Amino acid sequence: MKTASFLLRTALELFIDDEFLAAGVLAVIVGAAVLTKIGMAAVFVGGVLIGGCLCVLALSVLKGSSLK
Amino acid sequence: MTITFWTASTSAVATTFLASLVEAVEAFTILLAVGTVRGWRPSLLGAASGIAVLALLVVVLGPLFYLVPLQLFQLIVGILLLLFGMRWLRKAIMRAAGVIAFHDENQTLAAETAGLRWVQHNEAHLDWFAGLTAFKAVLLEGIEIVFIVIAVGVGQGLLLPAAIGAVAACAIVGTIGLAVHRPLARVPENTLKFAVGVLLSAFGLFWVGEGLGIAWPGEDFAILALALMFLSAGLAFIRFAVYIRNSRLG
């Protein structure tokens, strides 16, 4: 049990350091998937992905810099 | 062989080489600590066991990736790469801006050595403990390398170039490390992490788009364009974080 939880925690830590960053990136991807589903132009969805990820990164850096 | 193939291959080799360099340096520092305190036998045995488990993981799990439909695979791996890459990029930005401390291999070596020496006084079976420490270091750092090689390589049939990049980095770190017998503290770890974060985020975003059915303009060249975009944004965010930090400090 202890080993399993260690492995799970280690696996999660590979991808998640700042929860806000991870949640934000996932939200952007879900948003882009919804836009694709409703038939928005690929260029627009691509722009949402790029812009969304950069905004999330900027906010995460802002949050981290303000708190530390 | 098209120019887009070479572009994608070069990006894949550069990404896995630089990422593996960072991970291999970190693993080597711990192997060095084990080797210094308890001799090279447990250190090398632990490392060899770690590599064997990683090879087993690749052999067992590798063929399963080909069973997943390509578009779904690209989406899943793209999401994971994006999370992984942006995590590295954020950390490198914060370190470059002085918000968080730099990773110091000499400090890691001192801490690991002190930990092993403390155990030496309190534990009868230190060889096991030392071997396990080396095993864990290789396994944990190696899993990141395996993930990056598979993620960057499998989706576009670039597994071989991606693996070559990783093996070359590990071989270079191993050779130089064993020759100098010191932690490779002069490797610009944060700069490498920043570069890898940029490249992995670009690969991740590209594949998330492909997975969602977006046809990027310029096909594989879009990876380079995305990398340039993350690079410019990352450099701007460092200045941004420095500005915030300085305003907070007055």
Side-chain angles (χ1 to χ4, degrees):
Chain A
M1 194 64 197
K2 227 172 153 184
T3 313
S5 79
F6 169 76
L7 288 175
L8 187 69
R9 205 177 57 241
T10 307
L12 277 177
E13 280 170 1
L14 274 182
F15 305 103
I16 301 168
D17 184 15
D18 173 35
E19 294 84 359
F20 172 81
L21 180 70
V25 168
L26 291 176
V28 168
I29 294 169
V30 170
V34 170
L35 291 176
T36 309
K37 224 29 180 187
I38 60 172
M40 290 299 255
V43 181
F44 181 74
V45 181
V48 167
L49 269 178
I50 295 170
C53 284
L54 290 182
C55 280
V56 169
L57 181 61
L59 288 172
S60 171
V61 169
L62 172 68
K63 189 173 142 271
S65 309
S66 313
L67 292 176
K68 304 244 168 162
Chain B
M1 299 271 173
T2 61
I3 193 159
T4 47
F5 172 81
W6 285 110
T7 308
S9 297
T10 311
S11 312
V13 172
T15 306
T16 55
F17 178 81
L18 295 177
S20 306
L21 213 55
V22 173
E23 301 298 347
V25 165
E26 289 179 7
F28 177 77
T29 302
I30 296 172
L31 296 183
L32 186 64
V34 173
T36 307
V37 174
R38 200 59 191 179
W40 286 99
R41 194 169 171 269
S43 180
L44 293 178
L45 273 176
S49 313
I51 291 169
V53 172
L54 288 172
L56 192 70
L57 276 176
V58 172
V59 169
V60 172
L61 298 178
L64 297 179
F65 291 116
Y66 291 99
L67 300 176
V68 182
L70 184 63
Q71 203 170 2
L72 180 63
F73 177 83
Q74 285 178 328
L75 182 62
I76 294 169
V77 168
I79 292 170
L80 294 177
L81 268 181
L82 199 53
L83 289 172
F84 192 94
M86 286 184 65
R87 178 179 150 251
W88 275 34
L89 189 54
R90 176 186 179 273
K91 200 171 244 179
I93 290 170
M94 305 282 270
R95 279 182 177 151
V99 178
I100 55 174
F102 277 84
H103 183 83
D104 184 345
E105 290 304 325
N106 286 320
Q107 227 169 46
T108 307
L109 178 72
E112 288 291 334
T113 308
L116 284 161
R117 290 226 160 97
W118 184 84
V119 176
Q120 196 165 20
H121 291 297
N122 299 283
E123 183 77 50
H125 305 291
L126 183 65
D127 272 352
W128 271 104
F129 183 80
L132 202 64
T133 305
F135 170 77
K136 208 172 112 184
V138 170
L139 191 66
L140 292 183
E141 306 299 345
I143 278 179
E144 297 194 38
I145 294 177
V146 167
F147 164 72
I148 293 169
V149 168
I150 289 175
V152 169
V154 171
Q156 288 184 315
L158 297 172
L159 198 55
L160 189 63
I164 288 172
V167 170
C170 295
I172 288 171
V173 168
T175 309
I176 297 177
L178 286 174
V180 300
H181 264 251
R182 281 211 318 254
L184 304 180
R186 288 168 76 178
V187 171
E189 198 245 1
N190 202 54
T191 309
L192 289 177
K193 223 160 192 171
F194 182 83
V196 175
V198 163
L199 287 166
L200 290 181
S201 302
F203 267 105
L205 199 56
F206 178 80
W207 281 12
V208 166
E210 293 266 302
L212 292 176
I214 297 171
W216 294 101
E219 296 176 18
D220 290 353
F221 281 118
I223 297 173
L224 287 182
L226 290 171
L228 280 174
M229 194 200 62
F230 273 110
L231 176 67
S232 321
L235 292 172
F237 292 164
I238 291 174
R239 284 171 169 259
F240 177 51
V242 168
Y243 172 77
I244 294 168
R245 183 176 148 263
N246 289 344
S247 359
R248 276 187 59 240
L249 295 175

